[in-house]
Amino acid sequence: QVQLVESGGGLVQPGGSLRLSCAASGTIFSINVMGWYRRAPGKQRDLVAVIGRDGSTNYSDSVKGRFTISRDNAKTTVYLQMNSLKPEDTAVYYCHAVKLGLNYWGQGTQVTVSS
C-alpha cells in the first residue's frame, strides 16, 4: 500500500505562486511514476504534470512554462511549483502514484486563484 498526503494549497491572487507537496509513505519502493492531476468545478480530473523514476517529466499544455514538477532524492516527496497562476487554475489538486500497475491517489488539496 502507498499513502499520499498533499499540502500547500490555498488562496492566491492571479499572477501569484504556490508550491504543492506530496509525501508518499508505506511500501514506496517500485513506485514508477508520480504526478499531479486536478479537477476544476464541473469538470473531469485532468493531468497536470508527471515525473518518472528516471526524472523525465511531462506537462499538460495549459501549464507548460508556468508549473514545474520535481522530486526529492529519496523519491518520497513530489513537488509542484506553480507560478503565474490564473483563475482557470482553480481546482482541487490530487497527487497520484503508480506502483506495479496500481494507481494511488491523495485526498486532494484546494487551490483557488482569485482577486
Side-chain angles (χ1 to χ4, degrees), residues 7-115:
S7 60
L11 173 65
V12 63
Q13 292 186 342
S17 298
L18 280 176
R19 189 173 86 151
L20 304 183
S21 299
C22 172
S25 61
T27 51
I28 61 175
F29 63 90
S30 297
I31 289 178
N32 295 322
V33 177
M34 293 187 73
W36 293 92
Y37 286 70
R38 67 186 181 187
R39 178 177 285 152
K43 296 187 178 181
Q44 66 181 18
R45 186 160 54 187
D46 291 325
L47 171 71
V48 176
V50 293
I51 185 165
R53 194 171 182 83
D54 61 356
S56 59
T57 60
N58 190 33
Y59 298 90
S60 71
D61 289 342
S62 62
V63 306
K64 278 181 183 176
R66 299 188 298 122
F67 291 11
T68 303
I69 189 170
S70 61
R71 199 169 183 173
D72 70 343
N73 289 337
K75 298 182 175 60
T76 61
T77 303
V78 173
Y79 305 97
L80 186 68
Q81 178 66 43
M82 305 185 294
N83 298 329
S84 302
L85 283 160
K86 305 174 181 180
E88 51 264 43
D89 294 317
T90 294
V92 178
Y93 284 71
Y94 296 91
C95 184
H96 174 250
V98 179
K99 175 187 169 182
L100 301 178
L102 296 179
N103 293 290
Y104 297 90
W105 295 94
Q107 80 286 353
T109 185
Q110 177 70 46
V111 172
T112 302
V113 184
S114 175
S115 55

